[in-house]
Amino acid sequence: MTTMSSAPGGAKAPSDFSMLADSSLPSFSDYGDSTSKPSWTKSLQELKIANTAILGNTGGTTSAAEEASAHSLLARNTGLDMARLSRKSRSLESRPTSIAPDTVSAAESTLGVEEFLRKNQEGIFERILSRERSATRTKSHQLVEHRMKQDWDTERERWINELAGHRTLGGAAAAASDPPPPTSRATGSSIPALPAAATPYAAKRATAILNPPVAPSTSASTLDAREVRSHVELVAQLNQTNKTAVTPSDVFEEFLRISTDGTGTSEQQAAYGTSWKLLKSMSCRRHKALPVEAAMGALAHFCHQFHNHVTNRVRTATMAGQFDSASQSLQGGGMVGIVSAYVKLELGATASPWPIVYYSLRCGDAIAAKSALDTATGAAADENTGPTVRHILSQLVQVQGNAPCLWDSGSAPVISAQDRHPLVNLYHRAKTRDPVDPFMVASLALLSLAEPVSSATNLVNTIEDYLFGALWNIVQKKNPNEELASLGEDIKHWGPEHFADTEESGGWAYTLPLLATQQYKTGLSYLADAGAMGLLQATHLALVLALAGTELVDLGPNSSLARPSLLPALLVSYASHLQAVDPAASLEYLVRIPDPVRVRKEISRLVAETKAYDLLGGALQVDGSRNRRGALDNHFPPEKVSQLLADAAAESDNRKNVSDAAQLLWLAGHYDALLSLLNRQLASHLGNSPTADKMYWQQAAQRFSSMNLASGRTHVTEVLEAQGKMSLVSTFNLLMELTTFVDRLTAQKYEEAWSVVERLNLLPDTVMAMSSKVQQFHSLDAVLKNNFSVVLLGSMESLYQQHMRLKSTMHGLASDSVQQRLKELRTRARLLVTFMGLLQLEKTGDTSERIAHLEANMM
């Protein structure tokens, strides 16, 4: 037993309970923070009682048995693990020693139960908070690192696109064609190279594709409004400045700018931007009409493209800190340092200068290639090969001059066969070496022109590599045009399947090789069939190529015989695609059609189909004239606009849209044609019963009359007087009166109807007037003469009904006035029958019989 010391004042210190609580804490901790449960409150109160009983021990000691009793009390009243607490109780009972009072600290001796529990709970909370803070800090660091990496990747991609550009032509997936493309070197393009074994441009193929294949249609059947608007605005600027000093190069640059902000798929949009670079390089040259000049432009594009790829690869690696040697090589100066670093990245350390020579030539930089050989030392210098190669490279350096690329100099290098012959021998020996250095073989193939690079080595992995090697050889030949045409035919022969043209590429995987080999018609036609976005892109490419003076035909023996009809077809097709949503935008493309006759036809169709009269032609003013604020006024003088609107009216009339034709004629200011149309419509409805169509034309004629004819001298009457067409006005007024006459008959107002006819003075009232009235009839407008039988029948109907009504009012003998009136009516009826016989009207049907029958019934 351990004797307990007395506290000041004689009270027992509660160290027993402190020791008991400390020994019980492991059991508490196994059950978590459960002090808030009601059962614990009761148990703690019992612990206080037990502690008091222990401290009240007269012996002044705390036995292990008494402490075990307290543990049993806990187990009984709290539901804790009885087995564990029992083991703890037995260990206390069997413990031989007691706790010395002097081992209990003064601080513990003054703590009560509530204070102890509070301290313990605070400690638990602090540990929990510390653990959560640590976890939160770790997650925050991970999130920040992830976002920083994303931002870095985005920024790096943007920087790459701006400074280095894209390597790929179209970005299509690898082809599954036979043979599969080599994959030994990834250079940014996944378009497979053409099969080398066939030597595709060595000879013209006998077979030819008569019709271009159909491109896989993209899923997008509609166009993004922002994409359409940006192109329309640029085309509108071309229309407004087509007579200013805007160069084709400037136009290519503007379209290249907006092509980088498109909404197509990433592959499709990247290829679209690449196409503007390619075609600018091909079209904006000194002698752009020559096929070999365009081929040199394509070759320069492939060199610049690979140059950007190499530079981007090295800069990205340097920024990422992947290696130190590249930055050291960059300090060597110029392109040779960049290519050296690229070689280290791709191949690792190598003493051979040939990889640097080949990649320098692939970038079109003969200066860098020669520098690589000049700085080579030891065995790498190859004393047997080096001097011969340096001699050829020196000639290429002279041609390159200060240009960044050999093919930017404006002329192809001319190296004699005598100078190349030693290189041909070196090339064939290099191919038989063991082991073969593929970069040496490829470099010698380029310099000797012995074979295409694609046949010499396995370094040709992409379609860009293939076209580079093919064009390098062809443009340095004496008669390159035939081989250029053969190369294009080979591209068409292999077709889109070889290039793995998929929906994602939007038709570009096949289109870009066609454009690079000057197969413009096939390439742009194929692209236009790839969907709405392909049509947009093909149309604008064709438009700018034509502006640059490039004929949109396939290079070949029959290219001069081909009709350049591709541009009008694309413009019309794309304009038709736009006209439903934006007729003014559609107009911007139709006015670019080269053929004026086709322009007139297509614009009249556009106006007639869209019915956007105010938008395209302007609105009518109060005096009946046009305000000249339509979209057509932006492109044509007023007289031309009037003619186009009149053509659209004729188109609408042919489509049986007569009301649209009338509106267009009014807008066009062709008032004579409008009056003729109104006269035809009024005359054709004279004998008809009331219908909606008849009411429409009567109201339209009334509206035109009230605005332009009923208020004295107007703009319309002035125009008609100047044209000598006032007779149309007389016919129109006469038909308006006859319309009133028919309306009175329909309303059975026969006396009023007869008064209208009398006022018009069209019928003879005496035998003596018969001859003059016949002459007057023959002077009438044809539209009136053709429908005059309606007037005769209506007049006889009016006479008959008046006669019958007057006769029905007679009761017995009629007065002299009534008899006189009946006689007058019968006389006029006989004169009418005679008059009709003299007119000899055609196609009157049964009108003559009906008139004769009515006259006979008036006896």
Side-chain angles (χ1 to χ4, degrees):
M1 296 293 181
T2 303
T3 304
M4 303 217 25
S5 60
S6 298
K12 297 285 182 81
S15 58
D16 313 69
F17 183 75
S18 299
M19 183 273 292
L20 177 62
D22 289 338
S23 63
S24 302
L25 280 176
S27 298
F28 282 101
S29 62
D30 291 343
Y31 289 87
D33 186 14
S34 303
T35 56
S36 61
K37 296 181 180 180
S39 60
W40 281 103
T41 304
K42 178 180 178 182
S43 299
L44 291 173
Q45 291 175 351
E46 292 179 347
L47 280 173
K48 290 181 182 180
I49 297 172
N51 185 46
T52 303
I54 294 172
L55 292 177
N57 188 343
T58 55
T61 61
T62 302
S63 65
E66 290 172 326
E67 293 181 26
S69 175
H71 275 284
S72 300
L73 179 63
L74 280 174
R76 184 179 65 252
N77 290 283
T78 62
L80 294 176
D81 188 348
M82 293 296 294
R84 295 180 70 253
L85 290 175
S86 297
R87 287 195 298 270
K88 186 66 176 179
S89 177
R90 286 193 297 272
S91 67
L92 289 172
E93 289 175 350
S94 61
R95 196 170 63 188
T97 60
S98 300
I99 300 174
D102 54 355
T103 63
V104 182
S105 66
E108 287 179 330
S109 65
T110 60
L111 289 176
V113 175
E114 292 81 356
E115 185 67 16
F116 170 77
L117 292 176
R118 185 183 66 79
K119 292 283 187 181
N120 184 58
Q121 190 176 32
E122 288 177 354
I124 293 173
F125 288 160
E126 182 63 30
R127 287 192 297 273
I128 293 174
L129 290 174
S130 177
R131 185 168 60 251
E132 292 299 323
R133 279 196 296 268
S134 177
T136 302
R137 190 180 300 110
T138 301
K139 291 180 180 179
S140 299
H141 289 167
Q142 292 174 348
L143 181 60
V144 169
E145 290 178 1
H146 177 68
R147 290 182 177 176
M148 288 180 66
K149 184 178 183 303
Q150 284 183 326
D151 293 342
W152 160 246
D153 291 340
T154 303
E155 181 66 18
R156 181 177 62 178
E157 181 67 20
R158 185 190 65 80
W159 175 82
I160 289 172
N161 292 340
E162 290 185 359
L163 298 182
H166 294 278
R167 166 89 202 277
T168 61
L169 274 179
S177 55
D178 185 30
T183 56
S184 60
R185 176 175 58 89
T187 57
S189 175
S190 56
I191 303 179
L194 296 179
T199 315
Y201 56 88
K204 182 175 176 62
R205 292 185 178 274
T207 59
I209 299 178
L210 299 179
N211 299 310
V214 177
S217 178
T218 59
S219 58
S221 59
T222 58
L223 295 171
D224 180 79
R226 185 169 60 90
E227 184 86 3
V228 172
R229 178 52 50 190
S230 63
H231 283 76
V232 169
E233 290 174 352
L234 194 49
V235 171
Q237 293 176 16
L238 293 179
N239 293 338
Q240 295 168 3
T241 60
N242 55 1
K243 295 183 180 180
T244 63
V246 177
T247 65
S249 179
D250 297 333
V251 178
F252 275 104
E253 284 297 327
E254 285 299 309
F255 276 100
L256 175 60
R257 176 182 58 81
I258 66 173
S259 69
T260 59
D261 189 28
T263 57
T265 63
S266 57
E267 287 185 15
Q268 186 178 19
Q269 204 64 36
Y272 184 44
T274 300
S275 69
W276 287 111
K277 297 178 184 178
L278 169 65
L279 294 177
K280 177 188 175 183
S281 183
M282 295 174 65
S283 302
C284 301
R285 296 183 69 86
R286 184 169 53 187
H287 304 292
K288 57 187 176 184
L290 299 176
V292 68
E293 282 283 332
M296 289 172 61
L299 187 56
H301 167 77
F302 293 131
C303 290
H304 286 297
Q305 190 182 49
F306 191 78
H307 177 280
N308 290 339
H309 165 70
V310 170
T311 305
N312 168 64
R313 178 79 170 91
V314 173
R315 288 180 179 175
T316 302
T318 303
M319 293 179 63
Q322 293 182 5
F323 62 96
D324 297 329
S325 58
S327 58
Q328 295 171 2
S329 299
L330 286 173
Q331 296 175 2
M335 188 60 192
V336 66
I338 297 176
V339 175
S340 298
Y342 178 78
V343 169
K344 288 183 174 64
L345 285 170
E346 294 292 315
L347 307 176
T350 176
S352 173
W354 292 108
I356 304 176
V357 172
Y358 172 73
Y359 286 133
S360 296
L361 294 175
R362 181 65 180 83
C363 293
D365 196 335
I367 299 173
K370 185 175 182 301
S371 177
L373 273 184
D374 289 342
T375 56
T377 59
D382 197 340
E383 296 300 329
N384 295 324
T385 305
T388 306
V389 175
R390 289 191 189 94
H391 177 63
I392 298 297
L393 287 176
S394 297
Q395 298 184 53
L396 297 182
V397 168
Q398 291 179 359
V399 174
Q400 181 175 343
N402 296 325
C405 174
L406 172 64
W407 306 104
D408 288 333
S409 60
S411 60
V414 179
I415 300 175
S416 65
Q418 182 178 359
D419 288 341
R420 290 192 190 273
H421 183 71
L423 278 181
V424 174
N425 294 331
L426 290 175
Y427 166 71
H428 287 295
R429 287 204 300 269
K431 288 179 65 175
T432 59
R433 284 188 177 184
D434 188 19
V436 175
D437 185 345
F439 292 98
M440 180 181 182
V441 173
S443 300
L444 293 175
L446 290 174
L447 296 174
S448 67
L449 304 183
E451 284 184 302
V453 178
S454 58
S455 301
T457 69
N458 61 350
L459 297 178
V460 177
N461 300 312
T462 67
I463 185 58
E464 300 100 317
D465 294 334
Y466 173 82
L467 291 174
F468 163 80
L471 293 173
W472 178 290
N473 274 34
I474 291 174
V475 298
Q476 297 185 70
K477 299 295 181 66
K478 289 185 178 181
N479 298 305
N481 289 354
E482 183 177 348
E483 292 196 41
L484 284 173
S486 181
L487 176 61
E489 289 297 322
D490 288 321
I491 298 293
K492 292 192 290 186
H493 174 79
W494 273 293
E497 294 79 10
H498 174 79
F499 299 91
D501 201 1
T502 61
E503 193 171 302
E504 288 72 20
S505 80
W508 280 108
Y510 183 50
T511 298
L512 272 168
L514 288 170
L515 296 179
T517 53
Q518 303 177 59
Q519 305 300 306
Y520 299 115
K521 185 173 183 179
T522 300
L524 293 176
S525 299
Y526 179 81
L527 179 62
D529 288 336
M533 182 60 70
L535 177 60
L536 178 150
Q537 295 169 347
T539 301
H540 291 89
L541 288 169
L543 184 61
V544 178
L545 281 172
L547 181 66
T550 302
E551 292 189 9
L552 302 179
V553 297
D554 289 350
L555 178 64
N558 299 321
S559 60
S560 59
L561 303 177
R563 296 181 59 188
S565 58
L566 178 61
L567 179 60
L570 288 173
L571 290 171
V572 170
S573 181
Y574 185 61
S576 300
H577 196 87
L578 292 181
Q579 70 179 40
V581 293
D582 194 346
S586 180
L587 177 65
E588 294 292 343
Y589 295 91
L590 295 179
V591 297
R592 303 294 302 184
I593 297 175
D595 182 9
V597 176
R598 183 75 180 274
V599 171
R600 183 173 174 177
K601 176 184 177 182
E602 294 299 335
I603 290 180
S604 63
R605 177 196 56 79
L606 171 70
V607 176
E609 289 182 357
T610 62
K611 301 183 180 182
Y613 307 140
D614 292 350
L615 175 65
L616 296 174
L620 288 171
Q621 302 183 109
V622 178
D623 65 350
S625 63
R626 191 176 60 86
N627 64 8
R628 300 181 182 179
R629 296 176 184 173
L632 286 170
D633 293 288
N634 296 329
H635 304 281
F636 304 102
E639 297 78 11
K640 184 67 173 179
V641 174
S642 295
Q643 186 58 56
L644 289 170
L645 293 173
D647 291 344
E651 180 74 16
S652 296
D653 198 13
N654 292 335
R655 298 176 182 224
K656 308 303 180 182
N657 297 328
V658 187
S659 60
D660 292 334
Q663 186 173 352
L664 285 167
L665 288 172
W666 195 346
L667 194 61
H670 286 212
Y671 306 119
D672 55 340
L674 174 60
L675 280 171
S676 297
L677 187 149
L678 290 175
N679 291 343
R680 290 197 305 272
Q681 293 301 316
L682 290 174
S684 65
H685 287 91
L686 279 178
N688 297 343
S689 57
T691 61
D693 190 50
K694 180 178 181 179
M695 291 296 297
Y696 170 82
W697 287 110
Q698 288 182 359
Q699 293 172 2
Q702 184 61 44
R703 185 167 60 253
F704 178 79
S705 177
S706 62
M707 290 179 61
N708 303 290
L709 302 177
S711 55
R713 193 173 181 82
T714 63
H715 170 73
V716 174
T717 56
E718 289 177 354
V719 171
L720 292 171
E721 284 180 359
Q723 295 174 343
K725 298 295 182 66
M726 287 301 293
S727 61
L728 291 170
V729 178
S730 300
T731 302
F732 175 80
N733 290 331
L734 185 56
L735 284 167
M736 290 293 289
E737 291 283 0
L738 290 175
T739 299
T740 303
F741 163 71
V742 173
D743 290 342
R744 297 294 186 271
L745 286 176
T746 304
Q748 299 182 0
K749 297 178 180 181
Y750 301 110
E751 290 80 1
E752 294 182 16
W754 180 252
S755 65
V756 173
V757 174
E758 287 285 81
R759 186 171 66 250
L760 296 177
N761 199 22
L762 293 174
L763 305 177
D765 55 355
T766 64
V767 175
M768 297 297 297
M770 189 71 70
S771 177
S772 62
K773 294 305 177 183
V774 171
Q775 292 180 358
Q776 179 184 350
F777 166 79
H778 288 296
S779 67
L780 294 176
D781 190 288
V783 71
L784 261 176
K785 290 190 289 186
N786 294 337
N787 293 276
F788 201 72
S789 60
V790 177
V791 179
L792 296 176
L793 180 59
S795 298
M796 181 59 76
E797 177 72 18
S798 176
L799 291 172
Y800 173 79
Q801 292 296 339
Q802 290 181 71
H803 184 274
M804 294 302 295
R805 285 184 180 182
L806 185 59
K807 193 174 182 180
S808 66
T809 60
M810 293 174 57
H811 300 287
L813 294 175
S815 63
D816 292 341
S817 60
V818 173
Q819 290 291 349
Q820 182 63 30
R821 180 57 181 162
L822 290 175
K823 182 178 179 181
E824 291 177 357
L825 292 174
R826 288 193 296 269
T827 300
R828 295 299 296 269
R830 286 194 297 270
L831 289 173
L832 187 59
V833 172
T834 303
F835 181 60
M836 182 176 181
L838 294 174
L839 296 182
Q840 297 180 351
L841 299 177
E842 298 179 359
K843 299 179 181 180
T844 58
D846 62 347
T847 301
S848 298
E849 296 180 1
R850 293 176 61 187
I851 289 176
H853 180 71
L854 289 173
E855 190 268 337
N857 288 335
M858 292 173 65
M859 292 295 111

